[in-house]
Amino acid sequence: MSDVNGPTGQTPASNGPEDAAVGTAGAGAGAGAGAEAATGSAAGSAAESVAAVDPHTTAAAGGRRVRVVLVDDHRMFRTGVQAEIGEAERTGVEVVGEAADVDQAVTVITATRPEVVLLDVHLPGGGGVEVLRRCAPLMADARQPVRFLALSVSDAAEDVIGVIRGGARGYVTKTITGTDLVDSIFRVQDGDAVFSPRLAGFVLDAFASTDAPPVDEDLDRLTQREREVLRLIARGYAYKEIAKQLFISVKTVESHVSAVLRKLQLSNRHELTRWATARRLV
């Protein structure tokens, strides 16, 4: 992982093992920070650094705000990103939480419900793909969706394609400047797909090289809401949990389930779960 240096200041003292806490905007602001190299060697020097953010080029100039959670297993990298982009009055980005592994990430994201999560690909506990899998209901929330932007040192095909298929809205590398990172965060908040310039063509080529999935006529019979209910049922959610997640009544959930079973010619939720799993919809 490339080192990231804050604009000024000294490296903060370590408090022990990597930890995470739901924080407030400005935590660690003004403090310099570097991330350990991916090999773990302390001897490596930074090849790239996150440039200082120009407030005139950020959405902060228009008074916009975006709540962000940082997920990365290197505390000093998180501190560096926080120092560069986390001054809300300057950039419009409010860092509301941090996490160092999959379990912490899911806990913090669920508790804070940010608009955007900056997600490292390689994390203890299953990686960024596992975070995406466990946060799928939050991404599917029609009223307050949590969107993910991968921020990684890796540009390997399997990493990029894995998180994009998992639901991330974009993928940028850690050589990105602070200004561009802030811009990318706001674009993802707006629902755009964002990639580092070199990766944009790479991602298109990667998906173009795969066989196009066949048209599933059964799935096409379902409305968007019925598909949402289908996925949550297949993941084991109870009707009350689905109703709360989708901001609808339990009776409406029951109606959607009945419609799905009728359209797919299935008898119960167990058959529905097997059907969805076979199509990798879970």
Side-chain angles (χ1 to χ4, degrees), residues 129 132 139 159-168 206-207 210-211 280:
V129 172
L132 291 165
M139 289 189 283
D159 290 336
V160 179
I161 302 306
V163 295
I164 297 304
R165 284 180 172 160
F207 277 98
T210 60
D211 294 331
R280 298 182 179 179

Side-chain angles (χ1 to χ4, degrees), residues 40-281:
S41 170
S45 60
E48 298 283 345
S49 61
V50 175
V53 177
D54 180 356
H56 299 293
T57 64
T58 69
R64 289 187 61 186
R65 288 289 187 271
V66 57
R67 300 168 68 255
V68 172
V69 164
L70 305 177
V71 181
D72 193 286
D73 60 336
H74 289 84
R75 180 182 60 82
M76 294 180 69
F77 178 78
R78 298 196 308 270
T79 304
V81 174
Q82 166 79 289
E84 286 293 343
I85 71 171
E87 187 179 334
E89 293 301 317
R90 179 166 59 93
T91 66
V93 176
E94 179 186 2
V95 178
V96 297
E98 300 180 6
D101 60 35
V102 170
D103 288 340
Q104 290 175 353
V106 174
T107 298
V108 173
I109 292 166
T110 301
T112 60
R113 297 298 291 267
E115 283 87 23
V116 178
V117 177
L118 289 180
L119 179 68
D120 194 11
V121 173
H122 300 291
L123 295 168
V129 172
E130 178 64 13
V131 175
L132 291 165
R133 187 188 70 80
R134 292 169 60 178
C135 290
L138 300 180
M139 289 189 283
D141 188 334
R143 294 191 180 183
Q144 189 183 350
V146 176
R147 296 188 169 101
F148 288 78
L149 173 62
L151 175 61
S152 177
V153 70
S154 171
D155 59 2
E158 58 270 23
D159 290 336
V160 179
I161 302 306
V163 295
I164 297 304
R165 284 180 172 160
R169 295 294 304 174
Y171 195 114
V172 296
T173 61
K174 290 181 177 178
T175 57
I176 192 171
T177 66
T179 300
D180 287 343
L181 181 56
V182 169
D183 179 64
S184 296
I185 290 170
F186 276 99
R187 288 174 61 192
V188 167
Q189 181 193 25
D190 290 337
D192 293 342
V194 180
F195 297 93
S196 290
R198 192 176 76 82
L199 295 182
F202 164 74
V203 171
L204 290 174
D205 291 342
F207 277 98
S209 66
T210 60
D211 294 331
V215 175
D216 191 324
E217 295 181 358
D218 289 333
L219 188 60
D220 285 346
R221 294 192 185 100
L222 306 183
T223 66
Q224 183 60 39
R225 178 64 86 186
E226 287 170 350
R227 294 186 191 193
E228 293 173 352
V229 172
L230 164 66
R231 289 187 176 93
L232 293 175
I233 284 287
R235 290 177 182 138
Y237 283 73
Y239 285 4
K240 289 184 179 179
E241 294 172 322
I242 297 173
K244 182 178 180 181
Q245 182 66 44
L246 299 180
F247 298 97
I248 57 180
S249 69
V250 173
K251 185 175 181 179
T252 302
V253 173
E254 292 173 347
S255 297
H256 284 313
V257 172
S258 296
V260 170
L261 292 175
R262 183 182 68 255
K263 290 179 180 181
L264 299 181
Q265 297 182 2
L266 301 174
S267 300
N268 52 56
R269 64 180 299 162
H270 299 295
E271 290 184 1
L272 187 152
T273 298
R274 288 196 296 271
W275 187 92
T277 301
R279 286 161 175 78
R280 298 182 179 179
L281 300 177

